[in-house]
Amino acid sequence: MVLALVLLGCAVLLLALGLFVFGLRRRLIQRPGGTFDCSLRWNAPGAAEGAGNGGKGWVYGVSRYSGDRIEWFRVFSYAPRPRRLLEREAIEVLERRTPQGEEELALLSDSVILACSLRGTRVEMAMSEDALTGFLAWLEAAPPGQRVNVA
């Protein structure tokens, strides 16, 4: 009986520690500022292949502006480094749309989807209207001489 209580106590302690580290990671990501919630779908199907026909492939994350790139972190991860780096000069905006069908369930409410091309890879980003305004302003604020691809 005592052994079962000790094991249960250790399991609860490990769970609490895991949740604490999880929250601490999120806090450290957001500490420098310039962060926004952003779901990401890599290698998304194009309009010809039926974009928006399902909510599959979306991963919830947090994006952070860092100079001329955006660092994207998975929310449900312990990794201290960003999962994806999106460089401003490589992003070409293709279209903007609202979630359709099952995407409405897979994404945060009031999300707007921005389809982009990143060096030939179709990437879809879902974010709030305010975050989208900031993202497009950041794209257009490229230093002189850099090409900007905002449709």
Side-chain angles (χ1 to χ4, degrees), residues 64-76:
R64 177 173 65 192
Y65 296 107
S66 178
D68 283 338
R69 66 182 183 193
I70 288 182
E71 299 171 334
W72 183 83
F73 299 84
R74 292 179 69 134
V75 166
F76 301 109

Side-chain angles (χ1 to χ4, degrees), residues 41-123:
R41 181 158 65 171
W42 204 259
N43 283 328
E49 300 148 7
N53 287 342
K56 295 184 179 180
W58 286 104
V59 181
Y60 183 56
V62 175
S63 293
R64 177 173 65 192
Y65 296 107
S66 178
D68 283 338
R69 66 182 183 193
I70 288 182
E71 299 171 334
W72 183 83
F73 299 84
R74 292 179 69 134
V75 166
F76 301 109
S77 171
Y78 290 107
R81 295 182 185 220
R83 176 76 177 207
R84 302 277 184 194
L85 295 174
L86 309 172
E87 296 176 13
R88 181 177 6 213
E89 65 185 27
I91 299 172
E92 179 181 351
V93 176
L94 303 174
E95 66 177 315
R96 174 184 173 173
R97 63 182 178 86
T98 57
Q100 302 165 1
E102 293 176 12
E103 285 180 327
E104 294 177 6
L105 301 173
L107 301 173
L108 295 174
S109 62
D110 300 330
S111 289
V112 178
I113 298 173
L114 190 67
C116 301
S117 175
L118 186 68
R119 293 191 175 95
T121 302
R122 184 178 171 95
V123 177

Side-chain angles (χ1 to χ4, degrees), residues 8-61:
L8 180 64
C10 288
V12 169
L13 183 65
L14 284 175
L15 179 66
L17 181 64
L19 290 174
F20 175 76
V21 171
F22 190 69
L24 180 65
R25 175 186 172 268
R26 171 95 183 216
R27 189 88 151 128
L28 291 174
I29 290 170
Q30 292 179 325
R31 188 177 212 175
T35 61
F36 59 97
D37 291 333
C38 176
S39 295
L40 189 73
R41 181 158 65 171
W42 204 259
N43 283 328
E49 300 148 7
N53 287 342
K56 295 184 179 180
W58 286 104
V59 181
Y60 183 56

